[in-house]
Amino acid sequence: MRVTSSSSSSSSRKEEFLEENNEFFLERLREALADDDDDDENDAGSSRVHTTGEFFESCKRDMGNMHGRKGGGELMEAVVRVKTTREVENIVRACAEFKKPVVPRGAGTGLEGGCVAYFGGIVLDVSLLKTMSMDEMQRTATVGAGVLKNELNTFLEPYGFIFGPDPSSNPSVGGMASTGGSGLSTLKYGTSKENIVSMKVVTPKGECIETRRNVRKSSTGYELNALFLGAEGTLGVITELTVKLFPIPKTRVGAVVQFETVRDAAETVVLARNANLETLLRCEMLNSEGVQVSNVVFKTKMIETPTLFLEFVDSKLPDEGGYERAKADYDRFVELATSKNCRKSTIQFAKNADELDSIWEARRGCYLGAMRYRGIQLGTHKKEKVYVGDVCVPISKLADSIANAERLFKRARFPCVMCCHIADGNYHCLIPFNDDNEKELHKLEEELVNAALDVGGVASGEHGVGVGKMKHIVREHGEAHIDIQRSIKKALDPLNIMNPGKVISWTSPSSSSSSLRSRSKL
């Protein structure tokens, strides 16, 4: 009995110690915010350190469903909302002092668990970093990491500019840089990473650095911009970004072109990519099931067959040559599509692309539509979990790859909603599933990703790795490549506090210790 009593007493003392230590940590976080909180003397930072409540609970997850980890962010100790870069420095220093994980979070629209605190510590919410300014001569804007894509474009509109990358969701600009989310207009404007000129990043030591100057050319040392882009918060916290701008197009025309098969549609896109259609801004594809989802959920009335959605733009007004150039590229596209058996009689052309905006909104809502689709059909109106694939393949392999992907899921009798940034070789297979068939879906995911890797593709084109895609990247890159990434992580973040357990494991697969146990310093 004495042994049991001693054991119970020891356990109780340990719990008391942990609880007391946690209170010290939370108080340190509040002090870190108070040091820079000059807008509300009564706040003292406490109102922005959340340990309970609806907002706290919402930060235990993102928008994804297949992260491969149960329980979400149940170990998360606090959500800290920061307003300035200096506050981020203070919070990171506090977390380093207590050896607590720091998990940056923007809009929470990610799909791979990158902003979820699976290993405890804090979620560092940057959504209040909302500063915006622009340099018209440089054609750049400098924004806080929490600024949303649509907020930035609203700010820029009076000046006649836009931020080019256009993900279907409305993510934060910092999140786009962290994961590489690029969206519908990559064909003309490039990926998100290609549109970031410079960043301010708070390192694991709590020091703020500028990755490079806002100049066209820079040849003075290592390219730190590239290092932090796509790192998903594992090397530091992005707090501010300088981004490229483009003039708002003055002419927009659009079209909807339908095909008998996804292969015919994909082969047309490959031809168009090589035809130098300079005004082509967007070239997206839905397969038959994707169109069906649009019709059921968004009440569109399209023929349920593989469909390309096109938008052509020009910087000149329609009567100043803009329409003529855009229409010439459209006509050339139709020629190419006709050679690949498009349904010429059903082609829709819009002299003003505004007429097709409702269809573009349906395309943007593809993921949410896939969640609701079968519930609406069955009359239950229940949302389902949806797997989201994000492979990207070389354009030369696109037609075979996309046709094979659709065939894989149909053979397994899974519904397959395809929403594709097809001109980039990047396609999303959206697969509604439930707990009963999740195991089979994981097998299909392996087949889909492996097929893409076999033709020189990648596991993720724009959603990032998080935890959901970690299992694929060793095969994609090779162990020697991953070891280099791991060495960079350990050099910059020896305490492993920056978004631990994401992108790459702390130890190599050959190690007998698990990634979680290896975090002994925490």
Side-chain angles (χ1 to χ4, degrees):
M1 292 292 294
R2 273 182 276 179
V3 172
T4 303
S5 175
S6 174
S7 175
S8 175
S9 175
S10 175
S11 176
S12 176
R13 286 197 300 272
K14 181 178 180 181
E15 289 178 5
E16 288 176 5
F17 172 77
L18 291 174
E19 184 175 342
E20 183 178 350
N21 188 58
N22 191 54
E23 280 304 313
F24 280 137
F25 174 55
L26 294 176
E27 185 58 34
R28 182 71 180 85
L29 295 177
R30 296 184 185 104
E31 291 173 357
L33 294 184
D35 287 346
D36 197 46
D37 203 339
D38 56 6
D39 61 340
D40 186 351
E41 60 184 14
N42 298 315
D43 178 8
S46 60
S47 66
R48 292 187 282 122
V49 178
H50 301 260
T51 55
T52 59
E54 185 177 346
F55 179 71
F56 176 80
E57 293 297 322
S58 72
C59 291
K60 291 182 178 180
R61 58 188 179 275
D62 63 3
M63 291 183 67
N65 293 297
M66 285 186 63
H67 301 155
R69 294 188 182 275
K70 305 298 182 184
E74 295 303 323
L75 297 177
M76 178 178 68
E77 297 168 54
V79 179
V80 182
R81 306 191 77 188
V82 288
K83 292 181 178 180
T84 66
T85 295
R86 182 181 167 193
E87 285 188 346
V88 176
E89 294 174 28
N90 292 342
I91 292 296
V92 171
R93 288 190 193 109
C95 289
E97 177 186 340
F98 283 82
K99 298 182 173 61
K100 297 282 189 178
V102 181
V103 181
R105 182 184 181 94
T109 58
L111 296 168
E112 301 297 344
C115 65
V116 181
Y118 293 106
F119 299 103
I122 71 163
V123 165
L124 187 66
D125 182 277
V126 300
S127 63
L128 298 180
L129 297 178
K130 294 286 194 183
T131 58
M132 288 186 281
S133 62
M134 71 168 295
D135 185 331
E136 289 191 66
M137 296 299 291
Q138 286 281 90
R139 287 197 175 187
T140 60
T142 298
V143 302
V147 172
L148 303 181
K149 175 198 72 175
N150 290 350
E151 290 177 332
L152 175 55
N153 281 329
T154 298
F155 169 76
L156 295 172
E157 186 176 6
Y159 301 96
F161 291 100
I162 57 169
F163 177 51
D166 186 22
S168 296
S169 62
N170 185 23
S172 66
V173 180
M176 292 169 68
S178 290
T179 63
S182 299
L184 283 68
S185 57
T186 304
L187 181 62
K188 189 169 184 68
Y189 297 135
T191 66
S192 292
K193 294 177 182 179
E194 293 164 342
N195 279 272
I196 308 299
V197 178
S198 177
M199 297 182 291
K200 283 186 179 178
V201 179
V202 175
T203 71
K205 292 181 179 180
E207 300 169 341
C208 181
I209 64 167
E210 185 178 34
T211 55
R212 70 191 298 279
R213 297 290 179 90
N214 182 11
V215 293
R216 179 69 183 272
K217 294 180 178 180
S218 176
S219 186
T220 51
Y222 299 141
E223 180 53 271
L224 295 189
N225 223 38
L227 180 63
F228 289 100
L229 287 170
E232 301 184 39
T234 61
L235 302 179
V237 182
I238 298 170
T239 64
E240 186 177 275
L241 309 94
T242 298
V243 301
K244 298 177 185 177
L245 305 179
F246 296 87
I248 295 175
K250 295 178 180 177
T251 295
R252 296 175 63 216
V253 303
V256 175
V257 184
Q258 288 146 339
F259 296 82
E260 297 298 333
T261 68
V262 293
R263 178 182 291 278
D264 289 340
E267 288 179 350
T268 297
V269 171
V270 174
L271 293 175
R273 277 289 307 268
N274 293 319
N276 195 29
L277 305 181
E278 293 184 357
T279 68
L280 183 58
L281 169 67
R282 295 188 178 105
C283 179
E284 299 284 302
M285 190 194 82
L286 298 182
N287 68 343
S288 299
E289 287 83 353
V291 176
Q292 192 174 25
V293 165
S294 178
N295 287 342
V296 170
V297 178
F298 299 104
K299 310 303 180 186
T300 54
K301 297 179 180 180
M302 296 182 286
I303 300 170
E304 293 175 1
T305 190
T307 302
L308 293 179
F309 303 86
L310 311 172
E311 183 170 338
F312 301 85
V313 299
D314 195 85
S315 60
K316 299 291 185 181
L317 290 168
D319 58 0
E320 294 178 350
Y323 177 79
E324 182 180 355
R325 280 188 290 274
K327 180 63 163 55
D329 281 350
Y330 161 75
D331 290 339
R332 177 60 179 142
F333 193 100
V334 170
E335 287 179 18
L336 299 172
T338 301
S339 73
K340 292 297 178 181
N341 307 309
C342 75
R343 293 187 172 190
K344 194 169 183 179
S345 63
T346 65
I347 292 176
Q348 297 172 255
F349 174 71
K351 287 187 176 181
N352 185 336
D354 291 347
E355 298 171 25
L356 297 178
D357 278 351
S358 61
I359 292 177
W360 281 117
E361 287 308 305
R363 164 62 188 88
R364 292 179 192 280
C366 210
Y367 176 53
L368 298 178
M371 288 182 180
R372 297 171 54 198
Y373 167 57
R374 291 202 293 190
I376 291 175
Q377 276 194 320
L378 297 172
T380 64
H381 295 278
K382 290 183 179 179
K383 289 184 179 179
E384 292 185 288
K385 293 187 288 186
V386 173
Y387 161 76
V388 184
D390 183 40
V391 299
C392 188
V393 299
I395 287 296
S396 61
K397 306 294 184 180
L398 176 61
D400 286 341
S401 179
I402 203 166
N404 179 61
E406 188 178 57
R407 185 167 56 250
L408 280 175
F409 284 96
K410 285 186 174 180
R411 185 181 66 194
R413 297 185 180 181
F414 272 92
C416 180
V417 178
M418 292 185 116
C419 302
C420 313
H421 307 306
I422 192 166
D424 307 324
N426 181 205
Y427 56 91
H428 306 312
C429 295
L430 311 182
I431 318 296
F433 70 98
N434 53 49
D435 292 338
D436 294 334
N437 58 12
E438 184 171 350
K439 186 176 181 180
E440 289 77 13
L441 181 58
H442 277 295
K443 292 179 181 177
L444 280 173
E445 178 197 14
E446 290 286 333
E447 286 189 77
L448 178 69
V449 173
N450 285 340
L453 297 181
D454 286 343
V455 298
V458 298
S460 178
E462 61 175 355
H463 293 166
V465 176
V467 296
K469 296 285 192 293
M470 284 180 67
K471 58 188 177 183
H472 302 301
I473 65 169
V474 174
R475 177 158 188 255
E476 178 179 325
H477 294 298
E479 189 58 48
H481 178 123
I482 298 300
D483 277 343
I484 291 174
Q485 293 196 41
R486 188 178 291 116
S487 296
I488 293 170
K489 165 72 171 171
K490 290 186 175 184
L492 295 182
D493 182 23
L495 295 178
N496 196 17
I497 64 170
M498 301 307 302
N499 209 4
K502 311 290 175 58
V503 186
I504 55 171
S505 61
W506 185 251
T507 57
S508 66
S510 59
S511 170
S512 59
S513 299
S514 71
S515 175
L516 180 58
R517 288 199 303 270
S518 72
R519 295 183 66 253
S520 58
K521 293 183 179 181
L522 294 178

